[in-house]
Amino acid sequence: MSSSNEPAILLLAHGTPDVLSEMSAYLANVTGGRPMPQHVVEELQHRYAEIGLKEEPLPEGPPLTRWTLLQGKLLSEALGRKVYVGMRNWKPLIADAVAEMKADGVQHATVLCMAPQKSRTSTGLYKRALDKADEGAFTYDFIAGWAHEPLLSKAFAERMKVALDKARESDPNAMVLFTAHSVPCRTIRPANHEEAAIGSAHAPGAPVPADGLQNYGTHDEGDPYPVECKQTAMEIAAELGLKDSEWVFSFQSQGIAGAPWLGPSVEDTLTALAQEGIKSVVMQPVGFLCDHVEILYDIDVAFRDFAKPLGIDVTRAMSLNDSPTLIQAIAKTVQS
């Protein structure tokens, strides 16, 4: 394994509940303590049940946890070093990973967020959770964004090529639809002077602000997230040799907060493509590194059901999951 003077490696991810009954507690972590209406909890329980979550723990664990831990294991094998994994919203929590690192005597770490595109609503929140758990026990280098790593776009392109070639066997005009998770519009614009002084919203756990958003921290410039997401899509398209007319991009899984979320939505995009006579769409989310509910339910169930009455057949590229090229991309990033 690694020598004592090498930095430890810590991978951070979103987290997901292990059983359906944990949904309320899990959502409280996601929202920073803000309770969710019961109908929202029940709807999410339904979606997770549709992708296999039960009242009893799955032997292999829920998809996101299972795949992220495997990615950590494969990275450890590739580098010959121990790799720690911590989740912001569920077990194994970031605090649990930090406690293990302290017990192991870690002095310095390289920390990678398993969301390649930098955003206050993902990488920013992970860093704050890490700062809170670490309390200065060890120093670390935090990699807030790594969307431009060429091996990442190559990994996505490898998965898309298989799916697109299959779709075009029956429909040579099949369209590629790249997606990324939407975020509240308010989080990607610069703060005004008053907001910059106090943070962009009330602190997590405080009374819910009018727009229902958490505090994503003080900021005085726009968030790079939407640009980086689209650039990732462009890099994958270039890797595949796609023409501009052969692919489109949209944001998926908009939330229920009472303020606008980033678009265009997948639903609006599919509707527009149907009006143009498109009959087949191959989707690929470019901000997710493994299977989880936004892929297994939102794409495989909801978007397919939405597209059917429009006359569109929706298929999807396989998630990266245990892609060897993805592991190479992560290894290169944490070593650079």
Side-chain angles (χ1 to χ4, degrees), residues 7 37 169 253:
E169 289 177 1
S253 309

PDB file of all heavy atoms in Angstrom, residues 7 37 169 253:
ATOM      1  N   PRO A   7      -0.277  11.517   0.334  1.00  0.00           N
ATOM      2  CA  PRO A   7      -1.567  11.977   0.844  1.00  0.00           C
ATOM      3  C   PRO A   7      -2.619  10.883   0.760  1.00  0.00           C
ATOM      4  O   PRO A   7      -2.604  10.064  -0.165  1.00  0.00           O
ATOM      5  CB  PRO A   7      -1.910  13.152  -0.075  1.00  0.00           C
ATOM      6  CG  PRO A   7      -1.134  12.909  -1.327  1.00  0.00           C
ATOM      7  CD  PRO A   7       0.129  12.236  -0.888  1.00  0.00           C
ATOM      8  N   PRO A  37     -42.648  18.096   3.051  1.00  0.00           N
ATOM      9  CA  PRO A  37     -44.046  17.663   3.180  1.00  0.00           C
ATOM     10  C   PRO A  37     -44.163  16.151   3.011  1.00  0.00           C
ATOM     11  O   PRO A  37     -43.390  15.528   2.271  1.00  0.00           O
ATOM     12  CB  PRO A  37     -44.743  18.403   2.031  1.00  0.00           C
ATOM     13  CG  PRO A  37     -43.867  19.561   1.707  1.00  0.00           C
ATOM     14  CD  PRO A  37     -42.465  19.098   1.977  1.00  0.00           C
ATOM     15  N   GLU A 169     -29.193   1.189 -35.492  1.00  0.00           N
ATOM     16  CA  GLU A 169     -29.469   0.012 -36.318  1.00  0.00           C
ATOM     17  C   GLU A 169     -30.894   0.040 -36.835  1.00  0.00           C
ATOM     18  O   GLU A 169     -31.171  -0.388 -37.960  1.00  0.00           O
ATOM     19  CB  GLU A 169     -29.235  -1.266 -35.505  1.00  0.00           C
ATOM     20  CG  GLU A 169     -27.779  -1.558 -35.211  1.00  0.00           C
ATOM     21  CD  GLU A 169     -27.604  -2.783 -34.338  1.00  0.00           C
ATOM     22  OE1 GLU A 169     -28.641  -3.406 -33.979  1.00  0.00           O
ATOM     23  OE2 GLU A 169     -26.457  -3.126 -33.981  1.00  0.00           O
ATOM     24  N   SER A 253     -34.496  16.519 -13.792  1.00  0.00           N
ATOM     25  CA  SER A 253     -34.789  16.327 -12.374  1.00  0.00           C
ATOM     26  C   SER A 253     -34.895  17.643 -11.609  1.00  0.00           C
ATOM     27  O   SER A 253     -34.363  17.784 -10.501  1.00  0.00           O
ATOM     28  CB  SER A 253     -33.736  15.415 -11.730  1.00  0.00           C
ATOM     29  OG  SER A 253     -33.571  14.226 -12.480  1.00  0.00           O
TER      30      SER A 253
END
